[in-house]
Amino acid sequence: MANKVKFERENVVRVASELFWKKGFHATSTRDLQEAVNMRPGSIYSAFGSKEGLYSESLKDYTVQMKAKIEGFLSGSETVLGGLRAFVESVVIKEKDCSPSAICMLVKANGEFSDKDSNLHELGLDLSAQFENYLSTLFEQAINNGELNKNITGIEYARFFQVQFTGLRSYFNRPGVEQLAQPMISQMFVLIKSL
């Protein structure tokens, strides 16, 4: 029974995550959540404490899922950069039409919340910093493997990667530019190697 409850909770968090990612926190009503996760408001509040509690778990889960996706591509590649490139290609090209939003959920969260939503604002910033540190360790590994030069640090590579990746996701939300995806992703990785 405990495993069933855990599975159902994980499923509710994933479904809610898709909805929050698509609509944002403020535009997602309790009724939207109720219909999406097939739970009554009282059950949602009992399980997660509040809409904010469910959003917090969803945002944390999104971050875990992104890391797992990257790890999957890294495990199938001989190099760190090869794995990261496969990840970028997958998100920008293959998954473009099946993602709830063209904008990363963390980026969306950091744009949505202000000081008045201090808990969610702080959570978004904290998760973004953790994700940047995760990327930094990957780029440090790439430096140590000789894939990148030592002119800049792993954190500087991670920041550059995030800016490029976020820009590509946003740009390819436009119609009629699909043929530019591979050349622009190639250019991104040429630039990373030239830093």
Side-chain angles (χ1 to χ4, degrees):
M1 185 68 171
N3 286 339
K4 182 179 182 208
V5 171
K6 182 181 178 197
F7 171 76
E8 288 176 358
R9 185 178 182 89
E10 289 174 359
N11 188 52
V12 167
V13 169
R14 295 268 162 81
V15 170
S17 180
E18 296 276 317
L19 184 61
F20 283 129
W21 187 9
K22 180 179 181 181
K23 296 183 78 169
F25 176 78
H26 293 298
T28 301
S29 70
T30 304
R31 180 171 291 287
D32 293 333
L33 284 170
Q34 180 182 341
E35 290 173 6
V37 301
N38 195 24
M39 290 174 72
R40 295 183 183 273
S43 298
I44 294 171
Y45 283 88
S46 175
F48 300 100
S50 64
K51 175 182 163 186
E52 181 178 306
L54 179 52
Y55 183 84
S56 294
E57 285 200 37
S58 296
L59 194 58
K60 290 173 189 174
D61 183 67
Y62 171 83
T63 306
V64 168
Q65 295 305 312
M66 290 300 283
K67 286 180 183 176
K69 188 179 286 192
I70 291 172
E71 291 296 325
F73 284 110
L74 290 172
S75 69
S77 177
E78 293 181 12
T79 64
V80 173
L81 290 182
L84 288 173
R85 180 174 177 146
F87 165 74
V88 171
E89 289 172 344
S90 176
V91 173
V92 172
I93 299 170
K94 298 174 188 159
E95 300 171 19
K96 176 185 174 279
D97 295 328
C98 57
S99 290
S101 173
I103 300 170
C104 167
M105 190 174 177
L106 279 173
V107 172
K108 194 171 196 169
N110 288 330
E112 183 173 10
F113 300 111
S114 64
D115 291 338
K116 67 182 166 84
D117 307 299
S118 61
N119 290 339
L120 295 179
H121 179 70
E122 289 301 318
L123 177 64
L125 293 176
D126 184 51
L127 290 172
S128 294
Q130 288 177 35
F131 194 74
E132 185 170 270
N133 287 334
Y134 165 72
L135 289 174
S136 177
T137 61
L138 295 181
F139 281 104
E140 288 293 342
Q141 185 180 344
I143 292 167
N144 293 335
N145 292 348
E147 298 174 54
L148 295 169
N149 63 54
K150 298 177 183 181
N151 292 343
I152 63 173
T153 63
I155 193 73
E156 291 170 305
Y157 279 115
R159 290 173 182 153
F160 185 83
F161 174 86
Q162 289 176 95
V163 169
Q164 295 296 310
F165 179 59
T166 302
L168 285 174
R169 284 187 83 169
S170 178
Y171 185 82
F172 287 103
N173 194 36
R174 298 167 49 186
V177 294
E178 296 80 13
Q179 73 281 3
L180 300 174
Q182 280 295 350
M184 290 179 80
I185 292 169
S186 293
Q187 185 178 33
M188 172 185 171
F189 281 87
V190 166
L191 288 170
I192 287 172
K193 289 179 183 179
S194 71
L195 293 176

